[in-house]
Amino acid sequence: GIKFFAKYGENVTIVPPKPLQIFKYCRQIFMWVYGKNFAGQLSILIQDVDGRSKRIILGKLNFLGWRKLKVRIGRRVKQQEDLLNKKKFIQIKKIQYRAANRTFRPIWHYFYIDDISASVREKYTDKQSDDW
């Protein structure tokens, strides 16, 4: 659970205690979130195989109760290495919430996150033999 006092436009960043690494090709990322009808926006910061970071928006938390948020990764994040069969991975570095109060006065925001998962498949491998 996350609870913080913020005004419009302020951010809170959650850094996982251990790396959230995905070694296979990622299609989607899912996250169960308990919203309390705040208009804030939840996003994740993903590091690609080259070490560059991308911010991907999961959605607004303007709902009440548990909801499974999902986002397609697709070509937004580079997941294939330039050399085949080289072990690399993408990583979820941070989860970020941006407050979007309906007033400019600070208010308490709180939400819960559970069960972060990913839909994956095997990366492409070249099975052609170069033996002549």
Side-chain angles (χ1 to χ4, degrees):
I2 309 298
K3 183 177 182 179
F4 65 101
F5 195 65
K7 61 183 178 182
Y8 184 86
E10 291 184 335
N11 296 325
V12 65
T13 302
I14 304 137
V15 179
K18 61 181 180 177
L20 301 175
Q21 298 173 338
I22 303 171
F23 288 93
K24 295 183 180 182
Y25 188 84
C26 182
R27 294 179 181 186
Q28 291 182 345
I29 293 179
F30 306 96
M31 187 181 303
W32 279 98
V33 179
Y34 185 84
K36 294 291 285 179
N37 208 16
F38 293 110
Q41 186 179 63
L42 194 65
S43 60
I44 54 178
L45 191 73
I46 296 181
Q47 184 177 6
D48 69 7
V49 296
D50 290 334
R52 291 186 297 252
S53 296
K54 276 273 199 195
R55 182 175 169 257
I56 298 178
I57 298 170
L58 281 166
K60 292 187 180 277
L61 301 187
N62 57 353
F63 56 87
L64 185 61
W66 286 102
R67 185 174 288 177
K68 189 176 189 178
L69 299 180
K70 64 181 173 180
V71 64
R72 292 186 61 81
I73 300 299
R75 295 183 180 163
R76 295 184 202 189
V77 176
K78 183 177 178 186
Q79 299 185 58
Q80 293 286 24
E81 53 277 340
D82 295 331
L83 303 172
L84 295 175
N85 295 327
K86 190 174 179 186
K87 294 289 184 188
K88 288 203 172 185
F89 55 87
I90 64 172
Q91 182 173 343
I92 299 174
K93 299 294 281 182
K94 299 175 184 176
I95 301 168
Q96 186 178 45
Y97 176 78
R98 178 170 290 151
N101 310 355
R102 292 175 182 93
T103 65
F104 286 100
R105 296 174 51 113
I107 61 171
W108 283 102
H109 295 258
Y110 53 96
F111 59 93
Y112 299 90
I113 296 174
D114 193 20
D115 193 24
I116 301 171
S117 58
S119 171
V120 297
R121 66 170 173 77
E122 291 294 328
K123 289 186 179 181
Y124 173 76
T125 54
D126 188 8
K127 300 208 188 287
Q128 180 178 355
S129 174
D130 290 333
D131 295 333
W132 295 78

